[in-house]
Amino acid sequence: MGETSSSQTVSMKLQRIAELAKAAPAMAFTTLAHHIDIEWLHEAYRRTRKDGAVGVDGQSAKEYAANLEENLRSLLARAKSGTYRAPPVRRVHIPKESKGHESQTRPIGIPTFEDKVLQRAVAMVLEVVYEQDFHSFSYGFRPGRSAHQALEDLRQGTMAMSGGWVLEVDIQKFFDTLDHEHLREILRRRVRDGVVLRLIGKWLNAGVLEAGALVHPEMGTPQGGVISPLLANVYLHEVLDEWFVRDVQPRLEGRAVLVRYADDFVITFERETDARRVHDVLPKRFAKYGLTLHPEKTRLVEFNRPHSSSDDDDDGPGTFDLLGFTHHWGLSQRGNWVVKKRTAGDRFGRALKRVTQWCRLRRHDSIQVQSKALAQKLRGHYAYYGITGNADAIGRFYFEVIGIWHKWLSRRSHRAYILWANMKRILERFPLPKPRLVHRYGT
């Protein structure tokens, strides 16, 4: 069967599961694994990235594809019979930006390619079930949803209330501290298929291999796992989203808007009394599920619409951060108060630091090669931060990048200082993309 036909067959199965899940929101699925057949695995393979680093078995996607049909059939048999052994995740450390002078690293997990395919297959069947349950204010790692949609939802909801009080929340090390027992309990409310639950259990217990030592974390989602974002969403759907809709909103005196992207979320309240009540009870709710809120980064912010133009662009307590942007009140071109966004200071600094590190390491590459790479970095920055109201920040980023490039081109050798007039000629020959707004919203 061809790839297109196989994808269509899987799509039809997904649609049937979705219809059943939507029609029976309280039903626990006892048979889901039977949908995962060889066509399903072919579709999971198609959806799996092929350019990632290799896992503990050293096998690349290209090597796996050399004998694809036999490999997938073997994988299917082992998954269904219960003999599949989830391999440990290979942990590596990559540089992480530090506020101090000490170098820091961030650990990332790399599963084997075959494990990614199987995780994708299971994630496909679970996702279509939980997509019928998830609320509209949840945006992270969901099909057809993006961070910018979350930002616009927050903007519109906050402006509709003329502001209020914003509860800015930070969950400490959420992906590392997610409780396995609570997760299993939450999953069993909707999924009781033994094959699916057994595989998830194996991934939770697979362990991490680092420098030859194997450790088995007792908490957290599978590192680097394809299924991890979905499991995180399922967890927070119960811990936060359902609780907010079921228990919080009916008790509020005024309106409230919750917007969540993975473990990042804020709640805007129309009334201060509501905000303070939820602020007080939220740590207890999260503690019930083994999660801790950062005591300093979780805060209440007064975010009422200003009354005079002198309050515009205030950097005081009337601002809050979400998804890389600082949110603040500002005057539109028509003279109306609107919620605006600008690149958060820490994100701006981190982005420039990455450019600096790249220019320092690659300063001896040809100018053409450097120009092409920097152009790609700038376009990527504009693609996310190029948003209405943020023109000044992306413009400043553009000029800072040019300055950094100039600095490191001048350090190619002891006598290689480049005069600014010569730098201008370089930019004329190898121009960098000018700042542009990619996401435009009405004001």
Side-chain angles (χ1 to χ4, degrees):
M1 183 177 287
E3 182 177 293
T4 302
S5 179
S6 179
S7 296
Q8 290 174 346
T9 302
V10 172
S11 295
M12 291 174 62
K13 286 184 178 181
L14 290 170
Q15 185 176 349
R16 287 196 295 270
I17 299 170
E19 291 171 352
L20 182 57
K22 187 174 183 179
M27 183 185 74
F29 283 81
T30 57
T31 55
L32 283 173
H34 72 280
H35 294 290
I36 302 176
D37 54 16
I38 193 63
E39 290 180 345
W40 193 282
L41 282 187
H42 271 287
E43 179 63 13
Y45 166 81
R46 189 186 69 81
R47 297 186 185 188
T48 302
R49 285 185 55 182
K50 313 297 191 297
D51 57 351
V54 299
V56 294
D57 62 354
Q59 187 178 47
S60 67
K62 184 177 181 180
E63 290 169 339
Y64 193 83
N67 198 11
L68 181 62
E69 189 68 25
E70 183 177 334
N71 285 335
L72 292 181
R73 290 192 179 278
S74 170
L75 176 61
L76 180 63
R78 285 177 282 137
K80 291 292 183 74
S81 66
T83 59
Y84 180 78
R85 297 183 62 184
V89 172
R90 182 170 71 91
R91 178 186 282 169
V92 297
H93 292 262
I94 61 173
K96 175 183 177 182
E97 296 84 357
S98 172
K99 293 182 180 179
H101 297 290
E102 295 182 4
S103 60
Q104 295 184 4
T105 60
R106 177 169 62 89
I108 61 170
I110 306 172
T112 65
F113 181 76
E114 181 176 69
D115 205 47
K116 291 179 185 178
V117 172
L118 187 56
Q119 285 195 35
R120 174 66 65 191
V122 173
M124 284 163 56
V125 74
L126 287 179
E127 180 181 79
V128 75
V129 171
Y130 281 103
E131 273 299 308
Q132 315 313 312
D133 300 346
F134 290 158
H135 292 287
S136 60
F137 52 76
S138 166
Y139 288 89
F141 307 111
R142 293 183 59 190
R145 289 172 166 260
S146 70
H148 287 97
Q149 289 174 335
L151 292 167
E152 181 60 7
D153 187 9
L154 176 63
R155 173 181 177 272
Q156 294 289 352
T158 302
M159 287 176 56
M161 296 188 297
S162 298
W165 287 77
V166 174
L167 180 52
E168 186 179 5
V169 183
D170 182 272
I171 308 174
Q172 290 193 127
K173 299 181 178 179
F174 167 70
F175 289 94
D176 295 330
T177 59
L178 184 149
D179 185 88
H180 290 178
E181 286 306 313
H182 282 303
L183 175 60
R184 291 187 178 96
E185 179 186 342
I186 292 169
L187 284 169
R188 281 194 292 266
R189 297 174 190 173
R190 197 65 159 126
V191 178
R192 293 181 187 168
D193 183 292
V195 173
V196 171
L197 292 178
R198 184 167 59 240
L199 285 171
I200 292 174
K202 289 182 178 183
W203 288 318
L204 292 174
N205 298 321
V208 176
L209 185 66
E210 181 178 4
L214 180 63
V215 295
H216 294 273
E218 297 180 357
M219 298 182 296
T221 57
Q223 284 203 3
V226 173
I227 204 168
S228 292
L230 176 58
L231 296 179
N233 265 340
V234 169
Y235 203 79
L236 285 177
H237 172 74
E238 174 61 29
V239 176
L240 175 66
D241 302 354
E242 276 287 281
W243 172 73
F244 180 76
V245 171
R246 181 186 64 237
D247 298 333
V248 175
Q249 281 189 313
R251 294 176 171 83
L252 297 179
E253 297 176 358
R255 290 174 291 176
V257 175
L258 166 62
V259 172
R260 181 174 69 82
Y261 189 95
D263 62 327
D264 290 331
F265 70 94
V266 299
I267 312 175
T268 304
F269 297 90
E270 187 177 22
R271 299 194 178 185
E272 181 182 356
T273 52
D274 289 336
R276 294 199 177 279
R277 285 166 57 203
V278 175
H279 176 266
D280 291 341
V281 75
L282 197 65
K284 301 172 186 176
R285 172 66 183 179
F286 275 71
K288 180 180 177 181
Y289 290 87
L291 300 173
T292 305
L293 302 186
H294 197 293
E296 296 176 359
K297 296 180 181 179
T298 299
R299 63 192 185 109
L300 269 180
V301 179
E302 187 176 0
F303 198 69
N304 288 302
R305 187 172 61 188
H307 298 291
S308 66
S309 60
S310 61
D311 295 328
D312 189 18
D313 291 327
D314 179 22
D315 283 324
T319 67
F320 65 93
D321 288 357
L322 180 70
L323 297 175
F325 289 94
T326 296
H327 300 249
H328 63 103
W329 285 101
L331 288 170
S332 70
Q333 293 180 347
R334 299 178 181 178
N336 300 319
W337 286 108
V338 295
V339 175
K340 292 186 174 182
K341 296 176 283 292
R342 61 173 174 267
T343 310
D346 60 339
R347 294 294 185 91
F348 190 91
R350 273 191 269 169
L352 286 181
K353 188 169 184 178
R354 285 194 294 268
V355 171
T356 300
Q357 291 173 338
W358 188 92
C359 287
R360 177 177 61 84
L361 293 173
R362 306 299 293 271
R363 65 186 182 273
H364 295 296
D365 290 358
S366 70
I367 291 178
Q368 183 178 6
V369 168
Q370 292 187 49
S371 171
K372 185 177 180 180
L374 288 174
Q376 185 176 1
K377 294 179 187 299
L378 282 169
R379 281 191 289 268
H381 190 84
Y382 303 154
Y384 188 75
Y385 292 104
I387 194 170
T388 300
N390 199 36
D392 289 346
I394 62 172
R396 186 158 61 93
F397 187 79
Y398 167 77
F399 286 109
E400 291 279 2
V401 168
I402 290 176
I404 292 168
W405 193 24
H406 176 222
K407 171 184 174 179
W408 288 103
L409 283 178
S410 297
R411 296 190 178 185
R412 285 154 74 99
S413 71
H414 294 297
R415 300 180 181 180
Y417 181 76
I418 297 176
L419 297 175
W420 185 245
N422 293 334
M423 187 67 196
K424 285 184 176 180
R425 284 192 283 272
I426 290 174
L427 290 170
E428 289 173 359
R429 185 178 178 188
F430 303 103
L432 297 179
K434 296 290 181 66
R436 70 186 189 94
L437 299 183
V438 179
H439 308 276
R440 297 180 180 271
Y441 303 112
T443 56

